[in-house]
Amino acid sequence: MLEKFFYLEGAYLILGGIILLITLYVTTRPFMSSAAPRKGLTIVAIVLALFIGLHFWVTTSRIASVKAAFYAGKPVLCESRMLRKMAQSIEIRKDTAARWRIEGDNFVSPEYTRPFHLARCIVK
């Protein structure tokens, strides 16, 4: 679960670290009070942790709903990064000729060279 968290939220954790460094820089300026770094870093860290945690919860909930819909035979729309000019998304169903299956958190088919991550999919 921790590996999934770092995979899905890694970019946001890096951005959060940069935001904390900016907060530290701003709150340590001579015109700021001596308590500003502690207060500023605490508030910004709490807000970032809440937003990143909420994003992770929403993403993992969507992954679970996409898996359940796929196994129930419902259509799923996934972002296609290969076909940028024509189709922006692809419809995936369990019972199609493309023989879709789930491996880990990816949709895989022998018809497509790249897998589709479930975090980039929604139930149609």
Side-chain angles (χ1 to χ4, degrees):
M1 186 68 156
L2 195 58
E3 180 181 321
K4 182 187 262 188
F5 175 77
F6 285 120
Y7 179 76
L8 293 174
E9 305 300 321
Y12 298 116
L13 292 171
I14 292 170
L15 288 173
I18 292 169
I19 291 170
L20 286 172
L21 288 173
I22 292 169
T23 303
L24 181 64
Y25 177 78
V26 170
T27 57
T28 56
R29 299 297 92 207
F31 56 85
M32 300 294 284
S33 71
S34 61
R38 183 175 37 86
K39 288 180 183 177
L41 287 174
T42 302
I43 291 170
V44 170
I46 290 171
V47 168
L48 287 172
L50 287 173
F51 284 157
I52 291 171
L54 180 64
H55 184 265
F56 180 69
W57 178 75
V58 167
T59 303
T60 54
S61 297
R62 187 174 61 245
I63 288 172
S65 69
V66 166
K67 278 185 181 181
F70 177 74
Y71 289 128
K74 296 179 183 175
V76 174
L77 291 176
C78 289
E79 174 187 23
S80 176
R81 293 186 175 182
M82 280 178 52
L83 307 170
R84 286 286 188 198
K85 293 183 179 160
M86 295 176 63
Q88 291 290 325
S89 62
I90 184 168
E91 186 174 305
I92 295 175
R93 286 181 186 252
K94 188 175 183 178
D95 55 352
T96 60
R99 299 186 314 267
W100 289 103
R101 65 186 185 283
I102 294 178
E103 289 182 1
D105 284 336
N106 292 309
F107 282 120
V108 179
S109 171
E111 306 287 323
Y112 290 85
T113 57
R114 295 179 64 181
F116 294 89
H117 198 280
L118 273 69
R120 306 290 172 251
C121 301
I122 57 169
V123 178
K124 185 173 179 183

